[in-house]
Amino acid sequence: MTTVPPVDLKNIQGDILAGIPKKFETTMFFQISNDVEGFRKRLTQIVPLITTTTEVSGHREAISKNKEEAAAQGRKPDLLPIVGVTLAFSQFGLKKIGVNDPIGDPAFQAGQLADAQNLGDKGTTTNGTFTPDWLPAFKNQVHGVFVIAGDSHITIDARLVQIRLILGTTIHEVFSVTGNVRPGDQKGHEHFGFLDGISNPAVQNFDTKPFPGQETIRPGFILLGRDQDPNIANRPAWAVEGSFLVFRYLSQLVPEFDDFLKKNPIVLPGLTPEQGSEFLGARLVGRWKSGAPLDLAPLQDDPALGADPQRNNNFRYDFPEDFQTQDRCPFAAHVRKTNPRNDLESLGISTEKNRIIRRGVPFGPEVTKDEVTQKKTLHDRGLLFRCYQSVIANGFQFIQHSWANNTGFPIQKPEVPGFDPIIGQAADPTSRTMSGSNPQNQTATLSLPTEWVVSKGGEYFFAPSISVLRDTFALGVHIV
Ligand code: HEM
């Protein structure tokens, strides 16, 4: 038996396991010019700017200390000027810089554009060729992406200027988008209003103190070439300690979603129409807006539970009634579809290989008064979805295609679960339904007339290790 070495936190890009702290984030997609040698030489100067996992851990400690000091002095903490950078390449980018050996991931090697129809994205077919309704940038071979995250536009822009100055004309920027944590009490909530970023798996040897209920997965399900990487035998040396970064630009139709909730409140004795609408929203997501999981708080919100990391992940859909009924949480609810916990484990099926680490951020303005009045999206907003995994076909692609879009999942249930109401995509977007939205009438199907999350495209990227960026991808004299 070969032993796989433990992970080297100084070598792994910081966003993957630790998550670069952010209030704002700019994602810049680029193509490499024909001066490939120039690009690879200049990459040597970029490498020290790429944030490592060890650095992120240091940043997080500094942030906690800063908060504690401010609390002790009875004041609000000042924001620390901290910025972090992630760099990843598409298969086109790798080919462009001469990295041609296969990485052992067919989805990455084909690119996301080739996967669009399979994922359920909308588009048109002409002469047998499907063209998705995506932003032009994602239909034109993006080579790479920088994600620059930090405390303010000022720190982020300064780092972006530095990157631009170093790379000069060796890259051509094709598209940039800025995301931001939402203001005020919506901090940490996505645009439909639900607290996000609560449930990510812990990674063995890194997250040594997981929260109750937080599953620990072996590093190779996120990092290539590490313990339990399902394709470890097919990885070239340069792939080790890298991870696949899936990016999706997902627009959210918030006024339309809110209008749907308003028009379809769950009618139960004692609930006002407003409470009935709030309850329906929770039944679609599987958590209340506060983050409280329906499996633990099935009838009413419990904000203290939602905010408490010691409790808000400590559920498995394993109450005796859970497997066969939708009393607590609908089978199709977004969080149950995307992490079915005991629904599969009780059948002896492990989901460890299907776990992903999510690092998305909202983009776009808050909903305006006009949009509320017209019940219509007038300004583009949504989620810059980003997740990491070691096999795209087990992670993002599987969750989207085989779980969210699959009406029969979770399997072996008394009612057909239906589509994930948040991200499930159907060939006919007006045809989606789900069961179990009303706990008192679980066989009834609810029509979901609109896909409130609209994919505008994305790409499959690979975030290499720091040493590979420095010693294999970059060309240059290294000053130690
Ligand atoms: C605009 C689109 C999306 C919205 C509004 C959204 C919203 C949410 C919310 C509110 C949660 C609960 C908070 C948490 O558990 O961290 C969540 C969890 C989750 N989402 Fe999404 N999401 C979106 C897209 C996606 C996509 C594209 C995927 C993957 C294909 C995905 C996979 C997951 C997973 C795996 C979880 C954790 C479930 C758990 O462990 O219980 N989401 N999402």
Side-chain angles (χ1 to χ4, degrees):
M1 201 179 88
T2 43
T3 345
V4 185
V7 295
D8 174 0
L9 301 179
K10 286 196 207 67
N11 194 34
I12 298 163
Q13 291 203 43
D15 198 41
I16 303 168
L17 301 182
I20 296 178
K22 59 188 174 229
K23 292 256 182 265
F24 299 92
E25 186 174 274
T26 294
T27 311
M28 187 264 270
F29 301 91
F30 62 90
Q31 286 177 341
I32 300 163
S33 77
N34 286 336
D35 181 10
V36 173
E37 195 180 322
F39 172 78
R40 291 185 61 196
K41 280 186 175 153
R42 288 159 190 239
L43 199 52
T44 310
Q45 288 166 262
I46 293 289
V47 176
L49 304 181
I50 308 299
T51 312
T52 69
T53 308
T54 310
E55 281 167 343
V56 174
S57 299
H59 291 165
R60 290 201 174 275
E61 268 169 40
I63 292 169
S64 301
K65 202 165 154 234
N66 183 48
K67 278 189 188 152
E68 279 162 24
E69 278 172 9
Q73 292 165 12
R75 59 175 172 84
K76 276 180 89 180
D78 299 324
L79 276 182
L80 295 178
I82 288 178
V83 65
V85 181
T86 304
L87 171 61
F89 294 92
S90 71
Q91 43 112 10
F92 304 111
L94 291 184
K95 281 200 186 102
K96 183 86 183 177
I97 61 170
V99 178
N100 288 312
D101 30 338
I103 194 168
D105 193 287
F108 173 76
Q109 283 157 225
Q112 199 179 110
L113 185 59
D115 210 12
Q117 195 169 18
N118 169 55
L119 296 172
D121 288 4
K122 302 298 167 295
T124 44
T125 302
T126 319
N127 299 330
T129 307
F130 177 77
T131 310
D133 301 332
W134 280 11
L135 297 175
F138 301 117
K139 293 194 271 187
N140 287 314
Q141 298 206 353
V142 167
H143 290 162
V145 61
F146 280 103
V147 184
I148 304 158
D151 62 295
S152 71
H153 286 298
I154 299 170
T155 27
I156 291 172
D157 289 351
R159 188 50 48 98
L160 197 54
V161 166
Q162 199 181 358
I163 291 170
R164 283 185 182 132
L165 279 174
I166 295 171
L167 293 175
T169 54
T170 68
I171 62 163
H172 155 63
E173 292 182 30
V174 284
F175 180 60
S176 276
V177 55
T178 295
N180 58 275
V181 169
R182 294 185 54 216
D185 66 358
Q186 290 303 299
K187 181 181 165 194
H189 294 239
E190 50 69 47
H191 274 292
F192 292 141
F194 295 83
L195 187 63
D196 203 358
I198 307 170
S199 173
N200 268 324
V203 175
Q204 198 179 60
N205 301 336
F206 174 68
D207 297 294
T208 47
K209 288 185 196 151
F211 291 114
Q214 189 185 18
E215 278 171 302
T216 296
I217 60 172
R218 267 80 57 90
F221 291 110
I222 303 298
L223 297 166
L224 282 72
R226 285 294 168 252
D227 183 23
Q228 297 300 316
D229 170 4
N231 289 350
I232 197 161
N234 302 320
R235 305 300 193 191
W238 54 263
V240 173
E241 293 201 325
S243 185
F244 291 111
L245 183 173
V246 170
F247 175 84
R248 299 273 283 168
Y249 185 110
L250 300 174
S251 294
Q252 289 176 252
L253 307 182
V254 181
E256 290 85 344
F257 180 78
D258 287 346
D259 186 45
F260 174 77
L261 297 186
K262 198 168 173 193
K263 285 189 177 133
N264 297 278
I266 294 179
V267 180
L268 285 179
L271 284 191
T272 63
E274 209 176 36
Q275 288 168 331
S277 295
E278 193 190 334
F279 193 25
L280 177 63
R283 301 278 299 173
L284 302 187
V285 173
R287 288 185 186 264
W288 297 87
K289 284 189 171 172
S290 70
L294 279 186
D295 203 35
L296 298 180
L299 293 176
Q300 62 185 34
D301 195 0
D302 179 348
L305 166 64
D308 183 357
Q310 297 294 334
R311 294 190 291 147
N312 63 15
N313 254 315
N314 203 4
F315 64 97
R316 304 220 58 78
Y317 310 114
D318 60 358
F319 284 97
E321 66 274 27
D322 269 341
F323 192 73
Q324 288 303 322
T325 78
Q326 316 199 55
D327 287 0
R328 288 170 177 270
C329 182
F331 302 136
H334 176 60
V335 297
R336 192 162 183 173
K337 276 270 194 187
T338 54
N339 182 12
R341 303 179 191 225
N342 195 54
D343 284 328
L344 288 188
E345 280 154 20
S346 62
L347 302 174
I349 304 168
S350 162
T351 54
E352 194 179 3
K353 68 177 186 310
N354 307 112
R355 303 304 307 279
I356 53 177
I357 295 187
R358 291 172 302 129
R359 302 281 181 223
V361 70
F363 73 92
E366 293 296 295
V367 172
T368 61
K369 278 191 186 142
D370 273 357
E371 292 179 293
V372 175
T373 319
Q374 295 182 40
K375 302 174 181 112
K376 194 173 163 21
T377 297
L378 304 173
H379 307 280
D380 193 22
R381 66 176 60 75
L383 185 70
L384 303 173
F385 177 85
R386 187 162 80 247
C387 71
Y388 294 97
Q389 60 258 275
S390 65
V391 179
I392 296 172
N394 291 344
F396 165 75
Q397 189 192 49
F398 198 78
I399 296 174
Q400 181 68 58
H401 174 271
S402 303
W403 287 354
N405 298 356
N406 175 359
T407 54
F409 188 81
I411 53 174
Q412 297 188 20
K413 298 299 182 193
E415 292 98 28
V416 175
F419 287 91
D420 176 330
I422 304 300
I423 62 161
Q425 304 200 104
D428 171 2
T430 61
S431 72
R432 297 187 316 152
T433 60
M434 70 178 280
S435 66
S437 62
N438 185 336
Q440 306 254 303
N441 187 4
Q442 297 176 16
T443 51
T445 52
L446 174 71
S447 165
L448 307 161
T450 309
E451 287 184 357
W452 298 287
V453 170
V454 181
S455 163
K456 304 264 178 75
E459 186 49 286
Y460 296 147
F461 295 100
F462 175 66
S465 73
I466 307 284
S467 59
V468 163
L469 278 172
R470 187 187 56 223
D471 303 333
T472 310
F473 290 6
L475 280 179
V477 180
H478 307 298
I479 302 156
V480 185

